[in-house]
Amino acid sequence: MTTAPEPFRFTHFITVQPEDIDALNHANNVRYVQWVQDTAGAHWLTATPAEEQPNYVWVVREHHIRYLAPALLGDELRCTTWVSKMEGVTSQRHVRIERAADGKLLCEAETQWVLLDPKTMRPMRIMPEVAARVWEAV
C-alpha cells in the first residue's frame, strides 16, 4: 500500500453556465458528477507528461457525492482535488466544490478510480512513479 502523508491539492475553476441549470433554477446534480470527473481529469493531465498519458486509462469504480448547497447561474466554483490513497490498481480521490466568492462548500465527493492498461483494458498496478506525480506539486 502506498499512502501519501500530505497529498498535493490541485485546484481549478469552473463558471456555472446556462446549460448547467435545471428546472429548479440551480445546477443539476448530474453536472456535479461531471465537474468531479473533470477536476480529476484536469489534475491528471497537469501532473502527467503528455507523452506518457496514452500509457494509462483511469475509470471510475464508484462515486460517493454529498450535495450541500446549490450552485447558481454565473457562480464561479473552486474545485479542489487530492488523492488520499493508492493501493494495487485503485486510487481514492477527493473533490470539494466551493463557491469561490464566499468559500461556501457546495459539494464533496470521494471517488475510487481503477487504473487500466490501454492495450488490454485490464487493471494494472499503480507504479510508485505514477503515484508520485499526483502527490507532488505541479
Side-chain angles (χ1 to χ4, degrees), residues 55-116:
N55 299 329
Y56 308 99
V57 174
W58 288 99
V59 295
V60 171
R61 178 179 279 170
E62 62 184 47
H63 283 298
H64 293 276
I65 299 179
R66 288 174 293 286
Y67 302 101
L68 303 167
L72 305 175
L73 180 63
D75 281 350
E76 183 180 33
L77 307 179
R78 180 175 44 247
C79 303
T80 304
T81 187
W82 65 96
V83 173
S84 61
K85 181 171 71 170
M86 291 186 142
E87 181 175 59
V89 300
T90 64
S91 171
Q92 188 71 26
R93 180 179 286 278
H94 305 264
V95 176
R96 289 176 55 95
I97 300 175
E98 302 166 314
R99 189 169 39 238
D102 61 5
K104 174 127 179 106
L105 180 60
L106 307 180
C107 177
E108 290 181 306
E110 296 173 27
T111 303
Q112 187 177 68
W113 293 82
V114 176
L115 182 61
L116 302 181

Side-chain angles (χ1 to χ4, degrees), residues 5 25 36 122 137:
N25 211 28
V36 164
R122 304 281 303 160

